[in-house]
Amino acid sequence: MKNSKKTTKKATNKSSDYISAKDARRIAKENRRITDEFEKIKNRKNVPESEYTTEMKNSNNLLEVENLHTYFFTDIGVVKSVSGVTFNVPKGKTVGIVGESGCGKSVTSLSIMQLVQRPQGQIVDGEIRFDFDKAIYDIVKIPTEKMQDIRGNEIAMIFQEPMTSLNPVFRIGLQINEVIELHNPEMSKEDVKSRTLEMIKMVGIPDVEKIYKMYPHELSGGMRQRIVIAMALSCDPKLIIADEPTTALDVTIQAQIMDLLRNLKDRINSSIMLITHDLGVIAEMADEVVVMYAGKVVEKGTAHEIFHNPSHPYTIGLMASRPGIGDKKSGKLFSIPGSVPNPVDMPNYCYFRDRCDRAIDACNGEYPPQIFLSDTHMVTCYRYLKDKGEQND
Amino acid sequence: MIERASINDNSTNGEIGFDDEVLKVKNLKKYYPVTSNVFMKAKSYVKAVDDVSFSIKKGTTMGLVGESGCGKTTIGKTILRLTDKTDGQVVFQGIDIHELNRKDLRKMRPKIQIIFQDPYSSLSPRMPVGEIIGEAVKDNKLIPKEEFDEYISKVMIDCGLQPYHKSRYPHEFSGGQRQRICIARAIALNPDFIVCDEPVSALDVSVQAQIINLLMELQEKYDLTYLFISHDLSVVEHISDNVGVMYLGNLVEYSDKESIFSEPLHPYTKALFSAIPVSDPDVRNERIILEGNIPSPSNPPSGCKFHTRCRECMDICKTQIPEMLEVKKGHTVACHLYTGKSLKE
């Protein structure tokens, strides 16, 4: 402890993000100790099933994320990428997650897939409950071998860049075959192929046989994204996590892909977790919206509530900063001043206070609690605490 | 300041007067040869830009929209003469850029600048920011040595950077700040014209707003002219005065912003605009989904290039190439639907 006090003093003398070699070594050693402990728990063999079986809070939910904390133990300190995220994905619904880059939306989805880079990245606390028809498991505690059956089969992920998520040296057909073979070892080769062709057809690509024999570089960006979607859906997953599926694409292709996702969702009756920073896409697709800022959920509610009654200053700023088609306002766009706080050294008050134009005295206190404006609409901002108090009185 | 007069004297195109039109692009063509072997003659050509004409007035912004692969970026590059044209003219302030010799072109360079799409790959990772911004200024001897440091600081402050950032390296900055560095690099040369090649598409929404505001502020301050290339229509609507829509190397519609956004004429423009997601969950606009992909530019369809995906395709579209017609005042479109309806004033 004494040591750390000394270092903070030293740090202020130089620039704020200065770390001496000695400190870096000390932090690295400390991190190693913590991550080793987590790894020890993770690497046990023959974990009894009872250990990771839990109960759902609401049986309508497919996925419940509760108080999730995912930290990265780096040499410059602990980065709290996700600290206390809670949200639900109901069956057959689409949940949109919005936020700036670096706010932890991707890490949340990777945590659900148990794909966080270990040993530096660790789920430190929280529960991720997922409803597999036979049982309900906590993904945080599930052993890695068991998770391999779930990935792809029950939860599938569509990554942001179709360019990098396909292997350039294998033909399209083989890559989709591989996924199906892996999850259905009992299927014959012919069945696998016909399933692959069916999947390629389902995502709206003509000339199925031709595409089957092509390499990824021969396809355009939109086509590649379709292939990635076909791959993700090939095992009829219950939950599709789409991490910025249309960011790299043109508007016309984006419209096609969104239509495709919506139709497929209805056909195989699954839920979608849509991660994006494009509010337009969210408005079109999502039933419920979760707004994240610096690793925390700042607002959540139905799409209607979020778009018609944005309450957190960050959400309001986000809405205002988007140039809209057809609105006649010209001149300056609203922009949120400042930038996201340093993830290694988060303040102990509201993370948004320093950028907020509506901050009140209460904001200097500790991080604001969750305040419910309606049954579904939650916001973490002190401005609404006062209102609610008056109503209750 | 560079002596503009000296360039004017050497100009081979004395007859093209320069008024308030800073840039004039006339019948510009850029074909890339397709060969199966390095030593072989070209089998065919990819017509990246095929007969495009437009002009931009001083102090205004022209937005150029279209799907990827339609030749937007190639136009930008050809205007700067980063690639050579195949045919046509690019006239900047009365001078045909493609006719200049090396020496004069170098003198011309500071006047036309470009901001690239990806702020992560367009900055040298080995150079401190101050050097990145100042390199071209030093090379072109725009500023005397004594004032150099002060000048760079001033440019950085203009672009929302702090002078102490000068000694830092690009990797220490976030995406938005890197784009500011790219803008500062372009502004430092005191240009008249900047090609912005998708400057905000790699950025977050909130940062996007900051960069757009910065670009608009700088335009006002230095009386800049922009060619704003983007596929994000909402951004284009916000920043542009005129909008050109491209499809497969052709300009299919060109108009002022109000007219094109309130009443798009070309079927492709209509489809493009209907594809924009609306940020209101209760509004569902009828969407025209374009079937299929953009055809290959090395083997474009005959007649109107859009006829393979067009909803309102007629027989004539398959054989005849439509001409650019002025349907309303200042609103031109290349589509057979409007033949005979052209404005005759």
Side-chain angles (χ1 to χ4, degrees):
Chain A
M1 270 295 101
K2 204 178 163 191
N3 202 356
S4 72
K5 230 178 209 171
K6 215 160 134 195
T7 54
T8 48
K9 214 177 188 181
K10 213 192 262 168
T12 45
N13 285 345
K14 298 209 174 176
S15 88
S16 59
D17 47 2
Y18 175 79
I19 283 178
S20 71
K22 199 178 153 203
D23 287 335
R25 272 201 301 278
R26 184 183 54 77
I27 294 170
K29 208 173 154 194
E30 178 83 351
N31 286 344
R32 197 51 193 283
R33 195 179 57 76
I34 300 168
T35 49
D36 275 356
E37 258 170 48
F38 281 111
E39 286 300 295
K40 218 190 248 165
I41 299 167
K42 267 258 127 65
N43 290 338
R44 284 173 306 157
K45 288 209 170 89
N46 302 326
V47 183
E49 201 173 318
S50 59
E51 201 168 292
Y52 49 83
T53 314
T54 53
E55 282 297 312
M56 283 311 236
K57 288 224 165 128
N58 185 340
S59 59
N60 283 331
N61 289 338
L62 179 69
L63 176 82
E64 287 178 357
V65 177
E66 197 180 326
N67 199 23
L68 180 71
H69 288 75
T70 306
Y71 293 175
F72 287 88
F73 296 90
T74 68
D75 287 359
I76 54 162
V78 180
V79 177
K80 297 175 178 173
S81 288
V82 176
S83 55
V85 166
T86 305
F87 67 92
N88 301 327
V89 180
K91 281 174 188 158
K93 288 272 161 77
T94 303
V95 175
I97 298 185
V98 216
E100 277 171 283
S101 42
C103 75
K105 9 183 239 300
S106 289
V107 176
T108 307
S109 62
L110 290 176
S111 304
I112 294 168
M113 289 289 272
Q114 231 191 59
L115 283 174
V116 179
Q117 183 66 48
R118 275 162 56 194
Q120 304 92 321
Q122 296 286 352
I123 300 174
V124 180
D125 195 11
E127 273 189 20
I128 302 170
R129 294 183 289 269
F130 190 86
D131 187 355
F132 307 91
D133 287 329
K134 348 180 243 311
I136 290 151
Y137 291 147
D138 180 1
I139 291 177
V140 175
K141 295 195 187 115
I142 231 167
T144 314
E145 317 89 74
K146 186 96 186 166
M147 193 63 205
Q148 269 158 9
D149 298 338
I150 296 162
R151 273 187 221 132
N153 249 347
E154 309 280 347
I155 312 174
M157 193 156 176
I158 302 164
F159 291 95
Q160 178 171 6
E161 275 182 57
M163 195 67 187
T164 46
S165 44
L166 289 170
N167 192 334
V169 298
F170 289 109
R171 291 177 200 274
I172 298 287
L174 289 182
Q175 296 192 44
I176 305 182
N177 279 355
E178 190 191 359
V179 177
I180 300 169
E181 271 165 22
L182 207 75
H183 290 289
N184 306 290
E186 73 288 345
M187 255 167 133
S188 72
K189 267 197 172 151
E190 290 75 40
D191 286 350
V192 171
K193 188 180 172 182
S194 65
R195 173 82 180 146
T196 303
L197 295 178
E198 186 194 319
M199 288 315 296
I200 300 177
K201 205 169 184 176
M202 192 165 92
V203 292
I205 299 178
D207 271 347
V208 185
E209 290 278 351
K210 208 170 124 203
I211 295 283
Y212 186 86
K213 291 202 184 92
M214 275 188 175
Y215 287 98
H217 73 265
E218 296 176 86
L219 302 173
S220 65
M223 285 291 214
R224 263 185 237 137
Q225 191 62 285
R226 279 157 199 262
I227 297 293
V228 173
I229 292 175
M231 211 184 261
L233 301 181
S234 57
C235 295
D236 288 346
K238 286 206 194 82
L239 177 69
I240 304 162
I241 301 175
D243 189 355
E244 313 232 7
T246 58
T247 311
L249 305 174
D250 287 327
V251 258
T252 47
I253 310 290
Q254 172 176 299
Q256 288 178 7
I257 298 284
M258 286 198 305
D259 252 34
L260 176 71
L261 272 178
R262 215 175 304 154
N263 291 340
L264 290 177
K265 188 193 95 177
D266 293 341
R267 199 178 309 172
I268 58 179
N269 193 26
S270 50
S271 309
I272 299 180
M273 201 176 122
L274 182 72
I275 299 166
T276 175
H277 63 248
D278 189 336
L279 290 164
V281 173
I282 291 278
E284 293 243 330
M285 297 281 293
D287 302 303
E288 283 172 33
V289 182
V290 177
V291 184
M292 281 183 72
Y293 181 76
K296 282 191 185 289
V297 175
V298 291
E299 188 168 359
K300 105 189 138 177
T302 62
H304 187 88
E305 283 164 341
I306 298 285
F307 280 92
H308 290 284
N309 182 23
S311 301
H312 196 279
Y314 177 66
T315 320
I316 298 170
L318 214 55
M319 299 276 177
S321 62
R322 188 175 187 278
I325 291 283
D327 56 348
K328 288 285 167 272
K329 67 160 188 214
S330 57
K332 263 189 115 158
L333 281 174
F334 178 80
S335 71
I336 304 168
S339 55
V340 187
N342 182 354
V344 178
D345 186 21
M346 280 296 189
N348 48 9
Y349 46 83
C350 172
Y351 295 167
F352 193 62
R353 192 198 74 181
D354 295 337
R355 302 176 74 186
C356 189
D357 52 355
R358 299 151 203 246
I360 51 172
D361 291 343
C363 298
N364 296 327
E366 57 186 49
Y367 196 87
Q370 299 192 350
I371 295 149
F372 285 88
L373 300 176
S374 74
D375 287 347
T376 47
H377 196 174
M378 187 281 285
V379 62
T380 56
C381 181
Y382 275 116
R383 292 193 314 137
Y384 299 96
L385 188 66
K386 215 173 102 199
D387 295 0
K388 214 190 163 200
E390 278 165 8
Q391 274 166 24
N392 282 354
D393 292 341
Chain B
M1 283 303 284
I2 339 177
E3 297 151 67
R4 198 169 289 161
S6 70
I7 308 173
N8 260 340
D9 291 344
N10 294 337
S11 160
T12 48
N13 287 292
E15 77 277 4
I16 306 165
F18 94 85
D19 35 18
D20 59 340
E21 280 171 354
V22 176
L23 183 91
K24 227 180 200 165
V25 175
K26 268 192 190 166
N27 303 82
L28 186 69
K29 286 177 188 159
K30 173 70 195 173
Y31 297 169
Y32 290 101
V34 183
T35 53
S36 50
N37 185 313
V38 190
F39 303 107
M40 271 168 67
K41 259 187 138 181
K43 274 195 295 189
S44 62
Y45 290 93
V46 172
K47 296 179 178 174
V49 177
D50 198 7
D51 208 355
V52 170
S53 310
F54 60 86
S55 60
I56 307 176
K57 280 189 183 150
K58 191 165 173 55
T60 62
T61 304
M62 175 178 164
L64 205 55
V65 291
E67 283 173 280
S68 48
C70 72
K72 308 182 295 261
T73 303
T74 311
I75 285 193
K77 279 188 182 165
T78 324
I79 287 173
L80 274 104
R81 205 171 155 187
L82 292 177
T83 56
D84 279 320
K85 63 167 187 188
T86 306
D87 197 17
Q89 277 185 326
V90 179
V91 183
F92 175 71
Q93 293 180 339
I95 303 154
D96 189 336
I97 288 178
H98 286 264
E99 299 292 328
L100 292 175
N101 59 30
R102 273 180 75 101
K103 212 175 125 209
D104 291 335
L105 183 67
R106 253 191 99 73
K107 276 191 191 162
M108 194 65 155
R109 287 271 190 233
K111 297 274 119 202
I112 334 173
Q113 284 295 311
I114 186 166
I115 298 164
F116 292 101
Q117 171 171 14
D118 186 359
Y120 292 87
S121 57
S122 57
L123 295 171
S124 166
R126 290 161 189 245
M127 268 168 125
V129 169
E131 250 175 70
I132 291 178
I133 298 171
E135 192 189 18
V137 180
K138 236 183 230 168
D139 257 21
N140 286 292
K141 301 191 183 67
L142 292 179
I143 300 291
K145 246 185 187 167
E146 315 77 74
E147 294 168 31
F148 181 76
D149 230 33
E150 202 181 316
Y151 178 72
I152 299 299
S153 304
K154 189 186 143 271
V155 170
M156 288 177 79
I157 291 167
D158 273 352
C159 295
L161 296 160
Q162 295 305 317
Y164 67 80
H165 287 154
K166 232 181 265 181
S167 55
R168 294 201 183 168
Y169 286 88
H171 73 262
E172 298 175 59
F173 293 90
S174 65
Q177 275 186 313
R178 275 184 222 213
Q179 201 56 284
R180 283 175 195 271
I181 298 169
C182 293
I183 294 171
R185 175 170 62 179
I187 294 290
L189 293 167
N190 195 16
D192 289 334
F193 181 76
I194 300 181
V195 175
C196 309
D197 189 359
E198 311 231 14
V200 294
S201 43
L203 306 173
D204 276 335
V205 201
S206 56
V207 183
Q208 222 173 40
Q210 291 173 7
I211 297 294
I212 293 169
N213 284 343
L214 174 67
L215 283 171
M216 289 171 91
E217 266 164 37
L218 291 170
Q219 179 166 42
E220 217 162 274
K221 202 165 172 186
Y222 297 109
D223 199 17
L224 295 168
T225 312
Y226 292 140
L227 175 69
F228 195 90
I229 300 168
S230 179
H231 65 250
D232 189 338
L233 292 154
S234 47
V235 173
V236 168
E237 194 199 11
H238 190 83
I239 200 166
S240 311
D241 299 297
N242 293 300
V243 179
V245 181
M246 279 192 78
Y247 185 76
L248 261 190
N250 288 111
L251 203 60
V252 294
E253 191 164 356
Y254 177 79
S255 163
D256 56 281
K257 171 177 79 179
E258 283 79 23
S259 181
I260 202 166
F261 277 94
S262 60
E263 197 187 343
L265 297 174
H266 198 280
Y268 176 66
T269 318
K270 284 182 191 164
L272 204 61
F273 286 5
S274 80
I276 309 162
V278 189
S279 350
D280 188 337
D282 299 339
V283 178
R284 283 268 177 276
N285 56 348
E286 197 214 338
R287 178 160 291 168
I288 308 164
I289 299 276
L290 287 178
E291 294 302 324
N293 275 301
I294 215 167
S296 158
S298 61
N299 184 21
S302 62
C304 173
K305 285 177 181 170
F306 186 59
H307 84 251
T308 49
R309 298 167 81 189
C310 186
R311 272 182 163 190
E312 298 172 66
C313 178
M314 302 175 289
D315 285 342
I316 188 174
C317 301
K318 288 172 189 161
T319 50
Q320 255 186 38
I321 298 169
E323 304 246 325
M324 273 300 239
L325 290 172
E326 191 166 17
V327 177
K328 279 195 291 182
K329 197 169 184 298
H331 194 152
T332 51
V333 62
C335 180
H336 286 302
L337 285 174
Y338 302 97
T339 320
K341 288 181 195 164
S342 84
L343 181 89
K344 283 184 187 112
E345 277 185 357

